[in-house]
Amino acid sequence: MTSVGHAGVPEPPRPGMFSNARVVGGQFFLSGMHAGTPHGPVGGDDTYAQAVEAFRRTRALAEACGAGIDDIVTLRIYVTDIAEKAAVGRARSAAFSAPLPCSTLVEVSALVEPGLTVEVEAQGFLPNVR
């Protein structure tokens, strides 16, 4: 089991709290990615912009694991307003090509930091083990 990071993705707020990404056998697992920064979310309150950043971070971590974004097979997407599902869908469509990953979209009351509107969790298989 290997923990993986990427220079373009912020590390967890406290060392030892959790891993952003893990490779276990031929699979990789990505913690929930969002647009948070110490100065507020990338994109402000724009859910589309936040989703684009969350998928950018997801791609960066998948690549750091030795895979690509199209090697992701499962997504779990959390939004604070289900009315924003079309904006998240546009960002998801721009990030992935066919065959598309399985995906679940769920509305939650809040995310880890104020102002965050979307978070993306993912897992997949390394390309050389399929």
Side-chain angles (χ1 to χ4, degrees):
M1 292 184 281
T2 304
S3 291
V4 178
H6 185 278
V9 178
E11 286 296 315
R14 291 186 302 277
M17 188 176 208
F18 61 88
S19 297
N20 276 341
R22 297 283 305 270
V23 175
V24 181
Q27 295 185 62
F28 61 96
F29 303 85
L30 308 183
S31 291
M33 291 292 106
H34 51 69
T37 74
H39 309 289
V42 171
D45 62 357
D46 182 330
T47 297
Y48 174 77
Q50 285 194 32
V52 167
E53 177 63 11
F55 286 118
R56 184 200 66 76
R57 293 177 182 188
T58 299
R59 175 187 298 274
L61 284 174
E63 290 173 355
C65 289
I69 197 161
D70 289 329
D71 294 310
I72 291 171
V73 297
T74 303
L75 292 172
R76 284 169 294 284
I77 303 170
Y78 306 95
V79 295
T80 57
D81 182 356
I82 201 71
E84 294 289 340
K85 67 184 178 184
V88 174
R90 283 194 317 276
R92 181 180 54 215
S93 293
F96 291 92
S97 58
L100 299 173
C102 300
S103 184
T104 298
L105 177 71
V106 192
E107 182 180 45
V108 296
S109 62
L111 294 170
V112 69
E113 295 291 335
L116 291 174
T117 61
V118 62
E119 184 169 323
V120 178
E121 184 180 1
Q123 70 185 75
F125 288 91
L126 299 176
N128 58 351
V129 291
R130 283 194 207 173

